[in-house]
Amino acid sequence: MFDVIIARRRIAVLVGLILFTLALLTSQVRSADRRQVGPLGTAVLTVLLPIQTGMAHVADAGTRWWRLYTEIGRLRQENARLRSEVERLSQDLTVVREQAISARRMERLLEFRPQPGYRTVAARVIARDAERWFSTLLVDRGSRDGVRRNAAVATADGVIGRVIEVTPTAARVLLIGDSRSALSVIVQRSREAGIVEGRGGEMLHLKYLSRTGDVAAGDLVVTSGLGGVFPRGLVVGRIVTINREPGALQLEAEVKSAASVARLEEVVILRERADRGGPGPNRMAGQAAGRRCGD
Amino acid sequence: MAALVQTAWLARLPGVGAVIDPVLVLAVATGFLRGAESGAVIGLAGGLLQDLLSGGPLGMHGLSKLVAGFGSGLFERSIYIENPFLPAVAAFAGTLLGEALLNVIGVVTGLGSVSWTEAVPRVVIQAGLNSVIAPPLFRGVRSLDERFERQH
């Protein structure tokens, strides 16, 4: 009996509430915007909307902070990725730059035109003399490549020395700046002959010039071809100063070496052709001269 | 408060169109713990507040939650109430019932059209989300109920 009363009360409450809600819904269906809040609803909204607005502001702030936080994380990741990419590209750039510099050096080296009767062998400098008393280089070409003792060694700028030791895979070059080095030269303009000796640096000493010879500072000095080591016409350097000592029988001069050996990395070694005759007097004269040493 | 939280905060959370509905879970919890009439009244009141705050026609959420709260009250004391999975299962079933009613009311009154292919996955996800929040809400309703019992 009690259960029946409860059940009926339940049904009555349910039916009553549903009817109330349906009435509310249908009353709105007829309105233009399908929503009629009424004075009670307006009063409730007057209380709740400020709270809802405040909560929305809090949510907006939270959303902004969350976006900022996630953006920072994303930016950190992107930053790390870009840093590693910059590092990789920097390494690549270093390699490419090195290759470009090497290519430019090779281009300069290719400008060297071998004398008729000679072939050139390009060689890379693999070691320098640690002793300050001697000026020699070790290059990566040897007898296997046709390099012989006393072969002339040059760059596009001019002569740098001659081969003094040869192994099958390497050769040692005595630089013209070495104090043991001496080579026969002529002043290109006046054809005055002399001997250039090394002084242990880039400045060379020119001796045995005729006292009455026509020699001036700035004159280009080239190899004479005498002595059988250096072909005729290779640029040696440019006269810087002339020493005219009273009573001396000959003139002496200081010559600045045309080829800088300080940062030398590649050289060419001159190889005589097998069918080569002797170097003719007019064949090689001044071939490279005039376009080297900033001429 | 639950209606405010839902309209101001929970509606912003991404969830494939599904929004956690604490009002519905409260109505179901009240129905289970306090009986069908209480569930219906709480469901109607909360639903009407939702309608007021959301800008929709008054009564749509009210009616659906009324029925869900009342329906859950029919199972009051007929199942083992200490079962830890009960709140989640009840919230899941209540959500399915409430959302189905909401869509039917929308169609019947001409207030909205329903694409069932979109509605079904959304409702299932929403039911799942409501199941997640159901245990703490049930516990809260229960502690409020016990406090109310002690005071009176």
Side-chain angles (χ1 to χ4, degrees), chain A residues 278-293:
Chain A
N282 300 319
R283 205 165 49 182
M284 295 175 281
Q287 186 189 27
R291 63 182 179 85
R292 311 272 190 243
C293 276

Side-chain angles (χ1 to χ4, degrees), chain A residues 176-217:
Chain A
I176 55 173
D178 190 291
S179 55
R180 296 169 290 173
S181 173
L183 63 155
S184 174
V185 295
I186 55 171
V187 177
Q188 189 188 40
R189 182 176 60 81
S190 61
R191 318 309 290 175
E192 286 291 331
I195 299 290
V196 159
E197 289 180 349
R199 285 279 177 91
E202 291 198 351
M203 292 306 290
L204 310 170
H205 190 59
L206 176 57
K207 301 200 300 190
Y208 309 127
L209 289 170
S210 167
R211 182 175 173 74
T212 57
D214 179 13
V215 181

Side-chain angles (χ1 to χ4, degrees), chain A residues 131-197:
Chain A
E131 297 284 341
R132 67 187 177 91
W133 306 108
F134 312 111
S135 300
T136 62
L137 294 175
L138 203 62
V139 295
D140 64 348
R141 298 287 184 175
S143 57
R144 209 166 54 185
D145 307 294
V147 177
R148 299 282 177 267
R149 193 168 184 274
N150 282 329
V153 182
T155 68
D157 295 322
V159 65
I160 63 157
R162 65 185 168 90
V163 174
I164 55 170
E165 284 171 14
V166 185
T167 67
T169 57
R172 186 173 297 280
V173 178
L174 180 71
L175 300 177
I176 55 173
D178 190 291
S179 55
R180 296 169 290 173
S181 173
L183 63 155
S184 174
V185 295
I186 55 171
V187 177
Q188 189 188 40
R189 182 176 60 81
S190 61
R191 318 309 290 175
E192 286 291 331
I195 299 290
V196 159
E197 289 180 349

Side-chain angles (χ1 to χ4, degrees), chain A residues 52 70 113 118 141 170 216 226-227 240-241 244 247:
Chain A
Q52 192 186 23
T70 53
R113 293 179 186 171
Y118 285 88
R141 298 287 184 175
L226 301 175
V240 179
T241 55
R244 297 180 188 273

